[in-house]
């Protein structure tokens, strides 16, 4: 029997997933632009390029001109995906009895300890990157100029999610805090700018559609 | 600024509520405000002002969208940064969307997410257009196109005179009384279009293209009334006006039963006609529509024209018009044509899809109130040209030609600016039959 805090986090995950599903259905229903012009290139090739080569750091000034921020961003996102995967794993592990909730202390087998330590280390690095991104937003007057509460809170809650996961992996007695943070993160994710988790993919698709159709992507070789 | 009436406000907001696909929703919700796009934008690079960060322009449209369309924006605007659409906001929008963005799209390619920033900027322009807040200078260009058939308001008689004069020059140069610039002929293979700057200021670029057509033995015509390829309706944000201009040109092609619509050397005009035109008039074009660059490339590939590179033996560089290259896929074709026409090509750095706008795009050339800003941002292009060491800058866009000429003067570049037709015409080798004709 799982404790209340776990049900709470699961319910939040469900709400989050449902909201993303609704957004996804709306995006799919609205679909790609109904373009009546005669194509010059292939949409499929453009979308593939958009999702792969165009994303490479050597092809983006936002990456190669800002390497520290780019690396921090990549690590941060690795941490986010790892946190989400670990939440699913932790839930499954509890459900099938690998982890045993004992009042407020989660008990897990010794053989998982090394895995927990490795994952926690990755998450600490990721959270450190998240904190650096947050500090940059706080001290850079240009970023502050067009940032709202959402920008700070989205950064904060995502970093908190990674930290809470890392701490839980090392100190299972923090499970209640872990579930509370995950609950907040799940509730915020589809509301705040964290929803780019979905729209990012749609944006890459639209770029691939636009540039692919016009024969811009994949680019012709000029040298 | 006048008080913003409820009706106008709702007209402006309607732009964000009427969407037929997922593009607007996607790009309004994708930006993470990392601000890294700033280093890809000419305005920010030049002025280092935070309002010029491309992501800020997206944030402005998104904040208005949120204020009137989302739960958080309606009830807790501070949390999401939602803003009211009021007079002050409109003033900022005019400066941001009309005066601080050439819609070149360089930021899109380098955006960490892939937000289509010029698409959002254009939505901002559409909102302003719906609220009758288009800069008067830009609107007068559109009005001229709507009322006279061309954006410079050139009377038909004046245009016909210019064409007849160029035709005589062509006949003299070719030594062939049959060489011609054919006006209003039906059933021709090519229906050719011009940027009105050509008859007004650069008639030699018309004769250069006429020479190429002559060398290729092409069957072609120009309309005496609907020759204008430009469509500033694409820039003023008024879709109904952009559609009227596009439809006028398309109907003229149909009236003269042209087999192929060939778009003259104008970046935005080519884009507005080829890519946006069918969507504006809501029908697929029944005629093949290509740019003149592609047509010349076709002539070279098919051996319809012969070029001698040594006739152009000074170093040249290419300025890639944003609407033709980054937004039009002509990267390879432009280089294919130029490499066949010149001895030495030096690329600018960066170039191609990475190029910097000349600074005159997005309707900037038509808005004199932003002249100082336009010339200042053009310094980036001027420095690129200087660094290339080229003596001739080639660009297949008369809008870019105009801006580059001003940069040439302002930054003392000492280069010549030429169109593709001009550089190709200079390299033309006429077949013996033509020489024979002239002997006769």
């Amino acid at each position: 029997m799982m404790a209340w805090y776990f049900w709470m986090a699961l319910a939040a995950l469900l709400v989050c997933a449902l909201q993303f599903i609704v957004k996804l259905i709306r995006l799919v229903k609205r679909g790609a632009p109904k373009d009546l012009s005669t194509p010059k290139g292939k949409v499929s090739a453009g979308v593939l390029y958009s999702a792969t080569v165009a994303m490479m750091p050597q092809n983006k000034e936002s990456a190669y001109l800002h390497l520290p921020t780019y690396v921090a961003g990549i690590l941060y996102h690795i941490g986010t995906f790892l946190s989400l995967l670990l939440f699913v794993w932790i839930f499954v592990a509890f459900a099938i009895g690998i982890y045993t909730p004992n009042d407020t202390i989660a008990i897990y087998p010794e053989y998982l300890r090394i895995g927990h330590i490795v994952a926690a280390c990755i998450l600490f690095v990721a959270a450190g990157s998240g904190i650096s991104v947050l500090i940059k937003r706080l001290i850079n007057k240009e970023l502050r100029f067009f940032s709202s509460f959402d920008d700070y809170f989205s950064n904060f809650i995502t970093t908190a999610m990674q930290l809470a996961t890392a701490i839980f992996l090392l100190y299972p007695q923090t499970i209640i805090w872990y579930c509370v943070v995950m609950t907040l993160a799940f509730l915020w994710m589809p509301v705040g700018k964290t929803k780019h988790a979905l729209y990012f993919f749609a944006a890459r698709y639209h770029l691939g559609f636009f540039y692919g159709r016009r024969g811009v992507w994949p680019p012709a070789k000029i040298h | 600024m006048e008080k913003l009436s409820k009706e106008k406000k709702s007209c402006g907001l309607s732009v964000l509520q009427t969407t037929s696909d997922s593009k607007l929703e996607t790009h309004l919700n994708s930006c993470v405000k990392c601000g890294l796009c700033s280093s890809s934008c000419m305005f920010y690079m030049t002025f280092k002002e935070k309002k010029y960060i491309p992501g800020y322009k997206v944030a402005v449209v998104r904040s208005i969208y949120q204020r009137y369309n989302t739960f958080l924006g309606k009830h807790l605007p501070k949390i999401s940064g939602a803003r009211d659409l009021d007079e002050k906001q409109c003033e900022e929008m005019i400066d941001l969307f009309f005066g601080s963005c050439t819609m070149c799209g360089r930021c899109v390619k380098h955006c960490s997410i892939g937000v289509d920033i010029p698409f959002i900027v254009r939505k901002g322009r559409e909102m302003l257009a719906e609220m009758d807040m288009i800069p008067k200078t830009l609107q007068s260009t559109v009005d001229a196109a709507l009322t006279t058939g061309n954006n410079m308001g050139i009377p038909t008689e004046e245009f016909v005179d210019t064409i007849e004069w160029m035709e005589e020059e062509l006949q003299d140069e070719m030594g062939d009384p049959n060489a011609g610039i054919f006006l209003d002929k039906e059933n021709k293979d090519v229906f050719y279009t011009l940027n009105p700057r050509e008859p007004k200021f650069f008639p030699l670029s018309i004769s250069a293209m006429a020479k190429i057509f002559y060398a290729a033995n092409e069957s072609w015509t120009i309309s005496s009334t609907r020759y204008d390829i430009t469509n500033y309706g694409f820039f003023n944000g008024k879709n109904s006006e952009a559609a009227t201009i596009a439809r006028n040109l398309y109907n003229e092609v149909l009236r003269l039963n042209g087999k192929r619509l060939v778009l003259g050397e104008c970046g935005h005009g080519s884009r507005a006609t080829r890519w946006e035109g069918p969507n504006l008039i809501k029908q697929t074009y029944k005629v093949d529509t290509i740019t003149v660059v592609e047509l010349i490339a076709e002539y070279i590939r098919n051996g319809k024209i012969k070029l001698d590179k040594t006739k152009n033996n000074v170093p040249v560089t290419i300025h890639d018009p944003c609407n033709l290259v980054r937004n039009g896929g002509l990267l390879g074709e432009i280089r294919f044509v130029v490499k066949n026409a010149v001895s030495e090509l030096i690329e600018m750095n960066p170039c191609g899809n990475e190029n910097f706008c000349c600074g005159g795009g997005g309707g900037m050339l038509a808005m004199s109130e932003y002249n100082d800003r336009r010339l200042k941002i053009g310094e980036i292009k001027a420095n690129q040209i200087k660094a290339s060491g080229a003596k001739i800058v080639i660009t297949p866009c008369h809008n870019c030609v105009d801006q580059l000429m001003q940069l040439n003067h302002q930054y003392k570049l000492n280069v010549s600016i030429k169109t593709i037709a001009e550089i190709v015409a200079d390299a033309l080798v006429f077949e013996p039959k033509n020489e024979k004709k002239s002997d006769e």
Side-chain angles (χ1 to χ4, degrees):
Chain A
M1 187 74 179
M2 286 193 295
W4 62 269
Y5 41 82
F6 225 96
W7 286 115
M8 178 179 71
L10 271 179
L13 174 64
L14 189 67
V15 170
C16 172
L18 279 174
Q19 288 198 62
F20 272 121
I21 288 167
V22 168
K23 288 179 199 300
L24 179 63
I25 290 171
R26 197 171 56 214
L27 283 177
V28 172
K29 263 177 105 173
R30 285 180 172 170
K34 284 87 192 159
D35 198 329
L36 298 170
S37 62
T38 306
K40 180 175 159 68
K42 284 185 179 165
V43 168
S44 56
V47 171
L48 183 66
Y49 185 86
S50 173
T52 53
V53 185
M55 292 293 295
M56 293 294 161
Q58 67 271 22
N59 290 327
K60 280 172 172 286
E61 286 179 351
S62 55
Y64 64 77
L65 293 181
H66 305 272
L67 270 179
T69 305
Y70 174 74
V71 172
I74 293 290
L75 292 171
Y76 189 37
H77 281 80
I78 289 172
T80 304
F81 286 114
L82 183 60
S83 302
L84 295 172
L85 280 174
L86 281 168
F87 179 81
V88 175
W89 156 248
I90 290 165
F91 167 71
V92 171
F94 271 114
I96 63 174
I98 295 176
Y99 294 161
T100 316
N102 180 7
D103 196 9
T104 58
I105 299 174
I107 309 291
Y108 52 81
E110 192 57 28
Y111 64 84
L112 284 176
R113 175 153 288 276
I114 291 178
H116 281 193
I117 291 170
V118 171
C121 287
I122 295 171
L123 288 170
F124 279 126
V125 171
S129 301
I131 291 167
S132 72
V133 171
L134 184 56
I135 290 171
K136 185 182 172 189
R137 189 172 292 281
L138 285 165
I139 61 174
N140 183 314
K141 64 177 193 301
E142 291 177 343
L143 284 180
R144 266 203 328 266
F145 166 66
F146 74 121
S147 295
S148 63
F149 173 84
D150 174 20
D151 298 290
Y152 299 106
F153 188 71
S154 292
N155 201 162
F156 166 78
I157 195 68
T158 308
T159 308
M161 177 175 83
Q162 296 172 8
L163 277 176
T165 307
I167 292 168
F168 165 72
L169 291 174
L170 299 179
Y171 305 100
Q173 59 270 39
T174 60
I175 188 163
I176 295 180
W177 283 110
Y178 169 65
C179 287
V180 168
V181 171
M182 292 306 286
T183 301
L184 287 174
F186 286 137
L187 291 177
W188 185 256
M189 214 175 279
V191 179
K193 78 167 179 186
T194 32
K195 59 177 172 278
H196 77 268
L198 170 69
Y199 288 106
F200 164 79
F201 298 100
R204 297 312 303 180
Y205 170 78
H206 277 290
L207 277 198
F209 180 94
F210 180 88
Y211 289 132
R213 220 165 179 284
R214 295 180 179 208
V216 178
W217 280 355
K221 287 193 172 65
I222 57 170
H223 295 297
Chain B
M1 176 173 276
E2 277 177 43
K3 190 160 167 45
L4 184 64
S5 69
K6 260 190 176 174
E7 292 73 31
K8 276 194 179 178
K9 187 171 163 177
S10 82
C11 285
L13 291 172
S14 68
V15 170
L16 301 178
Q17 284 147 359
T18 48
T19 178
S20 57
D21 55 58
S22 61
K23 193 168 176 176
L24 180 63
E25 181 186 348
T26 294
H27 292 301
L28 280 178
N29 288 292
S30 304
C31 181
V32 293
K33 299 189 196 168
C34 65
L36 301 179
C37 48
S38 57
S39 48
S40 303
C41 172
M42 300 174 79
F43 284 90
Y44 181 85
M45 289 170 74
T46 304
F47 298 105
K48 303 278 182 225
E49 283 183 42
K50 52 199 175 199
K51 68 174 180 177
Y52 293 130
I53 298 172
Y56 177 61
K57 292 164 190 160
V58 176
V60 167
V61 177
R62 175 160 78 172
S63 65
I64 295 166
Y65 171 80
Q66 286 175 324
R67 183 74 181 95
Y68 300 95
N69 298 287
T70 67
F71 179 82
L72 265 189
K74 280 179 187 169
H75 303 287
L76 298 162
K78 285 253 161 65
I79 285 184
S80 60
R83 299 177 187 200
D84 286 320
L85 181 63
D86 54 22
E87 295 82 1
K88 202 177 160 209
Q89 184 60 73
C90 289
E91 266 179 41
E92 186 190 31
M93 286 168 72
I94 291 169
D95 189 63
L96 284 179
F97 301 142
F98 284 109
S100 318
C101 181
T102 63
M103 293 162 72
C104 75
R106 194 167 189 278
C107 51
V108 181
K109 199 184 164 294
H110 292 291
C111 169
S112 54
I113 297 282
V115 180
D116 193 340
I117 297 162
F119 170 77
I120 297 294
V121 165
R122 192 166 189 284
K123 284 289 163 196
R125 289 188 180 196
E126 284 177 36
M127 290 174 72
L128 292 165
E130 289 303 317
M131 296 186 286
D132 298 326
M133 292 179 188
I134 301 165
K136 285 188 174 61
T137 44
L138 180 58
Q139 187 57 45
S140 68
T141 309
V142 177
D143 290 342
L146 290 169
T147 54
T148 70
N150 70 86
N151 77 43
M152 301 198 94
I154 303 169
T156 304
E157 305 75 50
E158 189 183 320
F159 175 72
V160 171
D161 277 353
T162 304
I163 292 297
E164 285 172 352
W165 164 47
M166 296 321 300
E167 187 175 61
E168 284 167 22
E169 296 275 318
L170 178 75
Q171 288 167 350
D172 283 350
E173 197 180 344
M174 297 294 108
D176 182 355
N178 296 320
I181 300 177
F182 308 101
L183 286 178
D184 300 322
K185 302 290 180 203
E186 291 183 11
N187 307 315
K188 294 290 180 184
D189 291 338
V190 166
F191 178 104
Y192 188 58
T193 53
L194 303 169
N195 183 312
R197 279 191 173 85
E198 295 179 72
K200 192 81 180 170
F201 305 120
F202 307 105
L204 291 179
S205 83
I206 304 175
S207 68
M209 197 57 221
K211 261 167 95 172
I212 297 170
F213 282 137
Y214 176 78
N217 203 21
E218 186 61 88
S219 135
W220 67 292
T221 192
I222 301 178
S223 163
S224 61
T225 50
R226 300 283 182 201
Y227 54 84
D228 184 0
I229 187 194
T230 70
N231 189 341
Y232 280 86
F234 176 63
F235 290 140
N236 78 350
K238 197 91 178 168
N239 284 334
S240 57
E241 294 178 345
T244 301
I245 294 169
R247 193 178 297 108
N248 286 344
L249 177 61
Y250 181 61
N251 286 344
E252 184 69 352
V253 182
L254 296 182
R255 188 182 74 79
L256 292 177
N257 196 28
K259 305 281 180 297
R260 225 173 183 193
L261 169 56
V262 175
L263 309 167
E265 298 189 66
C266 175
H268 92 268
S270 295
R271 177 179 179 175
T273 307
R274 177 175 184 163
W275 297 111
E276 321 294 345
N279 300 311
L280 287 166
I281 69 170
K282 299 189 185 347
Q283 71 177 100
T284 302
Y285 283 4
K286 289 178 194 154
V287 291
D288 185 21
T289 307
I290 62 164
T291 61
V292 69
V293 177
E294 290 161 294
L295 183 71
I296 295 173
E298 200 178 287
Y299 288 162
I300 297 170
R301 285 193 184 101
N302 297 343
K304 287 185 101 177
I305 58 171
K306 297 253 179 306
L307 303 178
D308 177 2
K309 295 176 181 196
T310 60
K311 290 186 172 185
N312 288 311
N313 57 8
V314 294
V316 307
T317 189
I318 297 171
H319 164 65
D320 293 286
C322 310
N323 284 310
L324 290 177
V325 177
R326 190 163 36 241
N327 295 300
L330 292 189
L331 173 72
E333 279 92 335
I334 291 174
R335 275 150 188 84
F336 173 75
V337 172
V338 171
K339 281 177 182 172
N340 273 282
V342 306
S343 304
E344 188 186 356
L345 167 64
I346 307 167
E347 291 284 10
M348 284 190 220
N349 184 26
C351 64
N353 292 339
E354 306 281 324
N355 81 314
F356 281 103
C357 173
C358 60
M364 289 293 278
L365 269 166
M367 295 182 278
S368 53
E369 58 269 50
Y370 301 118
N371 276 355
D372 290 346
R373 208 182 269 180
R374 168 170 61 78
L375 289 172
K376 193 84 189 108
I377 61 164
E379 192 174 2
I380 293 174
K381 180 56 64 180
N383 289 338
Q384 276 192 289
I385 294 169
K386 263 186 207 164
S388 76
K391 296 289 172 215
I392 298 175
V393 181
I394 302 170
T395 188
C397 169
H398 274 280
N399 212 55
C400 298
V401 166
D402 211 346
Q403 167 78 349
L404 291 172
M405 282 184 157
Q406 292 185 43
L407 296 181
N408 197 13
H409 175 75
Q410 173 97 356
Y411 296 102
K412 300 181 176 37
L413 302 176
N414 295 317
V415 292
S416 309
I417 317 294
K418 289 194 173 188
T419 63
I420 290 256
E422 288 165 0
I423 204 82
V424 169
D426 287 346
L428 276 174
V429 176
F430 287 93
E431 295 293 301
K433 62 173 184 180
N434 292 337
E435 283 167 20
K436 206 175 171 186
K437 251 187 193 172
S438 65
D439 290 344
E440 287 164 1

